[in-house]
Each structure stands twice: as C-alpha cells, then as structure tokens.
Amino acid sequence: MANALRRAKSSRVDDVALVISLTAGDSGLSRRGMAALLKLRRAQRQVIEQSRGALVKLPAGAGAGPLLDMAAACADSPLVGDYLSLFLLQLIADFPEQGKPLRAILHARRDGLDVSAATRALWHPQGQTQLAAIARKHRLDPALLAATLWVALKPLCEAVARAFTRHIETPKGAPECPICGGPPWARQGRQAKCAICETTWQAGFESGLWQTSEGPQAQGARRVYHSRTGQRLVEFDKPLFKPAFHTGPMIELIRLLEQA
C-alpha cells in the first residue's frame, strides 16, 4: 500500500489506493493483504467498465421501498459465475497457500454449484443456514464461499445501479438506498452512499445528533455515529466521496485468507 501511494504521488492521485489507505489502514491487514485489497477493487472497477451493455433482468421492487430487487437481478445474471471464477483465480495467485479451499470453489462451480441459489441466500434473512447447506453439499468452507461470492456480486450491483440511475432521478429523503434498499455506510453533507451498490442519494440526515467516534481519525474520512440510534458512518470530504467504496466485506475476506 505504501508503494502504491508513493507511485500515486509521483504521477496523478490514485483514488482507489487513497480511499483504501484512509478506510482500511487500521484494519490489521498485512502489507500483502492491503495490496490484495487494492488489486481486488481495481479488478472490480475494470469489470464494471467491461460489463457496459450486458443484458441483466431488472425486477422492480414491490411497491414502497427499493426500486430494484437487486437479489433477483444478480441471481438471474450469468455474469456472477464468471466474476466468481475471475476473482478466485486472482486470490489464488495472491494467496497461494490458500489455493486448496479457493480451488475447491472453482471446481464446485464446474461440478454444479448453484451460484444463483447461493446468491439469493446472501440476501435472505436465514441465508447463513441456506448457504451453509450449499457449501456442505460441495464440501466448501461456507464463510469463504460467502465472502468470495460477495466480491463477485459487488461490481454487478454497482453496474446495475449505475445503469438504472442514468434514467431516473434518485428519490430523496430515504433512510436506506432507494435503488436497492442497502444501508448507508458513508456520507458527505446530506448525501449518503449505499454499502451494496454505492448509489448516492440525499438522505436527509438529522442534524445535531452525529458525534465523532473515539480513536484515531483519518484526515478527510472521519468516523461518526448517531448519538440516539448508534448508526455508524464514514464522513468524507467532498473530493473523496465519489471514489469511496465500502471496504468492510473485502477486509473480512482477506482476514479469512490471512488467518487460516
């Protein structure tokens, strides 16, 4: 990560490396883990750009609430399996000592792993039990299956949301993402950003109830919490808000690989 930041200073600012250093610098990941996180996000951004024009069925939300059923859109997409294989191969190269459990997921996909059912399980309230059953059937690590599957789903969620929001005006005032129903993870002024599809919308945050969290704070990415509800967000300076993305699930994946 330090090398990436030095390279960024020598030319133009690498916004991905900067966001990761600010939001994941205290995550406890090794230098190799931070570099792997950077590579994963760059790969996600690349497949988002390459997926422009791909046909994805967009089921509408049911009445009040999110406009899209993102779980159904992802589960019905043939891209998820391809993305899963792509990121598994990258992780195998970055963590060769974890090649066996990662290759097991690759082999399971060729042997009939129901990627669509696993995708739906990630959104289901009892999804952990369902995903464990799918993993058990193929002798996979359920936590690793869930974490790698989410890395594959994330760019698809973002690409679908971006394409959809080009044609509508994003509704204002919703406490959750009006596109997919995901929770906000970051804010900049009155703008919120979704943890699932990274859509931004005007959330209408209550004023006067947000406090700075304890502990060290990164300049430009301040951690805050709501004194009444306990909700936690990262409050970004304006230049950092657009490239910011939710690092949490990818950090958990890399922790799994580093600690196994």
Side-chain angles (χ1 to χ4, degrees):
M1 183 56 58
N3 289 337
L5 292 176
R6 279 197 292 271
R7 286 196 299 271
K9 289 177 181 177
S10 66
S11 54
R12 63 181 182 82
V13 174
D14 185 329
D15 55 6
V16 179
L18 182 56
V19 167
I20 287 175
S21 68
L22 293 175
T23 59
D26 60 352
S27 63
L29 298 182
S30 68
R31 290 181 64 184
R32 180 177 70 155
M34 292 287 280
L37 177 56
L38 178 60
K39 285 178 64 178
L40 277 177
R41 184 55 183 175
R42 284 176 173 162
Q44 286 181 334
R45 284 175 44 148
Q46 184 176 7
V47 298
I48 289 170
E49 294 304 315
Q50 291 174 343
S51 298
R52 286 182 176 179
L55 295 178
V56 178
K57 186 186 292 184
L58 295 179
L67 298 175
L68 295 181
D69 183 346
M70 192 66 81
C74 289
D76 292 340
S77 173
L79 294 173
V80 176
D82 293 337
Y83 287 178
L84 180 60
S85 295
L86 173 69
F87 291 119
L88 284 168
L89 290 170
Q90 181 172 317
L91 290 167
I92 289 168
D94 288 339
F95 297 93
E97 73 278 13
Q98 298 301 331
K100 185 175 180 179
L102 291 168
R103 286 193 188 91
I105 301 175
L106 271 178
H107 296 156
R109 191 197 163 205
R110 298 178 191 132
D111 293 338
L113 173 65
D114 192 338
V115 177
S116 178
T119 296
R120 291 180 185 276
L122 286 182
W123 265 273
H124 196 277
Q126 284 78 46
Q128 201 169 23
T129 301
Q130 296 176 9
L131 202 60
I134 293 170
R136 198 162 47 244
K137 178 180 178 182
H138 294 277
R139 299 182 180 180
L140 303 176
D141 179 334
L144 190 58
L145 174 60
T148 52
L149 182 58
W150 178 244
V151 166
L153 289 168
K154 177 75 169 173
L156 183 58
C157 291
E158 291 184 51
V160 168
R162 282 189 197 181
F164 187 69
T165 53
R166 289 191 192 106
H167 304 286
I168 66 162
E169 183 176 348
T170 308
K172 299 177 181 179
E176 296 179 331
C177 176
I179 303 302
C180 75
W185 76 274
R187 64 172 291 180
Q188 199 283 310
R190 295 175 66 85
Q191 295 291 309
K193 180 169 279 204
C194 176
I196 293 175
C197 69
E198 304 296 344
T199 293
T200 61
W201 78 98
Q202 187 171 312
F205 294 109
E206 295 181 68
S207 60
L209 295 172
W210 292 93
Q211 312 256 343
T212 302
S213 299
E214 294 181 1
Q217 295 285 345
Q219 186 174 351
R222 186 170 63 104
R223 291 184 173 90
V224 297
Y225 70 95
H226 194 282
S227 58
R228 181 164 54 80
T229 66
Q231 181 183 20
R232 293 183 177 273
L233 298 170
V234 181
E235 187 172 66
F236 285 95
D237 286 353
K238 191 172 183 179
L240 295 170
F241 187 63
K242 184 176 180 180
F245 68 100
H246 187 37
T247 57
M250 283 194 282
I251 289 173
E252 292 307 311
L253 167 60
I254 293 172
R255 280 178 178 156
L256 279 175
L257 296 172
E258 289 200 317
Q259 295 172 5

